[in-house]
Amino acid sequence: MKIVTAAEMREIDRATSERFGVASSTLMENAGAAVADVALARWPEARRVVVVCGKGNNGGDGFVAARKLSQAGKQVGVALLAAASELKGDAAQMFEQLPMESTELTSGGELREAVEEGLFDCDLIVDALLGTGVKPPVTGLYAEAITAMNAAKAPVLAVDIPSGADSDATGKPSGAVARANAVVTFTAPKPAHLFARLTDGPTFVAPIGSPAEAIESKLGLNLITAADFAGLLAPRRADAHKGDFGHVLVLGGSAGKAGAAAMAGMGALRAGAGLVTVATPRSVQKLAASFAPELMTEGLEETEAGGVSLKAMEYGRMEKLCAGKSVLAIGPGLGQDAETVEFVRALVKQAKQPVVLDADGLNAFAGTAQLLDGSRRPLVLTPHPGEFARLTGKDMAAIAADPVGLALSFAKEHRCTLVLKGHRTIVATPEHGVWVNATGNPGMAKGGSGDVLTGMIAGISSGAKQCSGETAGAAVYLHGLAGDLARAADSEPSMVATDILGEIGDAFRVAAETVHHETVVINP
């Protein structure tokens, strides 16, 4: 799903009407209906609803929502922050169809008086004051209205975007911005819906009639949805066997960190690999094997510190171990022993199979990222911001300021797929731009979560017989969704990485069920 700017969204609406014959009033009617549907679904017990409207098209959406909510049996009040005579076009048309009287508030004094008389003594506020066309800061009457809504006790449902927010911004909004407990936007998300943390609840992206051909953007940003990898969710053939889904080799583990490699191995199996071998230093091989009987293991020569020794490369040992493997996952729990670093660099250099590089596999290239080249075979890197800082030599502040640009630049330079983990994990590819993930939650901020993701990328790639931005994006989405299911079964503070492993199967099922859902939900 494309992510678009406010200007591009206006062009999409225009093209929808002029090129594809969908009346602008129909788009507004559908938008208001979508808002009402979310209000009824999320707050079914809300009896009194106040819809706060501006004089533009956002207000027009609010008028439609007010009408629909009234028809659904709700007690609805409409506060218009303008004179009715200022309304134009579709907004004026929708205003005329209101089944109730509105309250026109044209000054700060009138607004304050209405608030004192109980304007916001309600069960739900619908914020249809300002839309995506407004550039902050907001001043005057509208700023006062935002302050009043923020002081009210009722939850707030924002239409398109919380009033006062810049839809093209990627940072936290400042100035007068309305709070929101949920947002309903239309056709395509805007950058702020993904990056600006506008709400503590979900953002719903509802279709309102624009055909796919009308949705164009030069941003190069996309939201990952289940529909983007629907082919990877298709049922397996009835006569399928384990050889059809490849053999993943996980190289990881060290003294005290056997679990990291084992979790990566199980992540690969749960995500669809037919076979998985976990290769670890010999002293921790038994620990890795005890994690799950489905894992095959291989012991490697080790250093005195309990890491993989460079001797593991001698006499063609690694060539034999890698023979017949479909994907290599390198790094979880390997440690940073000097010999282990040399081992990783040598293995990545000689590998003929697709490589997924994580954790200490990435740290082995800190300061020497020029050695990473995905042009010979697919290469997927999965750094968190700290690891990415070490790879690029940039500080964390620079990465936080421009994660999308830096990730895409790195992916193009090194001809690799870069999975930059974070609140909004980014999948950057040289060919297809940047994909942003919106599944997952803070409960996944636990040791081992990244190891599971590494295994899932390798497992999905193995099963699909391709290692690409698509398989990496699918793994990122499903990993986050499994985390969301784990949170639902437990809680954010108490969930652990193995809980994510246990929900991968349900994540596949839920994703398959949502492939054809028209409305897309973005996590807060």
Side-chain angles (χ1 to χ4, degrees), residues 177-271:
V177 177
R179 64 183 174 89
N181 300 101
V183 177
V184 183
T185 192
F186 314 112
T187 306
K190 292 75 189 174
H193 291 126
L194 277 302
F195 299 109
R197 305 190 187 186
L198 301 175
T199 174
D200 61 5
T203 295
F204 299 87
V205 186
I208 59 173
S210 294
E213 296 85 350
I215 305 172
E216 298 180 355
S217 175
K218 295 180 180 179
L219 274 180
L221 278 175
N222 304 274
L223 173 67
I224 303 172
T225 70
D228 295 315
F229 55 92
L232 301 178
L233 300 170
R236 292 180 167 183
R237 298 193 328 268
D239 61 348
H241 58 84
K242 62 187 178 184
D244 292 331
F245 307 108
H247 189 161
V248 171
L249 175 61
V250 176
L251 293 120
S254 58
K257 298 179 181 177
M263 283 188 288
M266 282 307 297
L269 278 175
R270 290 285 188 186

Side-chain angles (χ1 to χ4, degrees), residues 224 229 271 419 421-425 427 436-445 449-450 452-454 456-457 460 471-489 492 495-497 499-501 503-508 510-511 521-524:
I224 303 172
F229 55 92
V419 178
K421 296 181 286 193
H423 169 241
R424 296 296 189 212
T425 292
V427 181
V436 183
N437 186 53
T439 61
N441 62 82
M444 301 172 73
S449 294
V452 174
L453 174 59
T454 297
M456 290 182 68
I457 295 172
I460 290 176
T471 55
V476 168
Y477 179 97
L478 291 165
H479 178 256
L481 180 55
D484 291 337
L485 294 170
R487 175 178 60 179
E492 284 184 1
M495 59 184 282
V496 294
D499 295 332
I500 300 172
L501 276 175
E503 297 291 350
I504 292 173
D506 277 342
F508 271 83
V510 171
V521 182
I522 298 173
N523 276 3

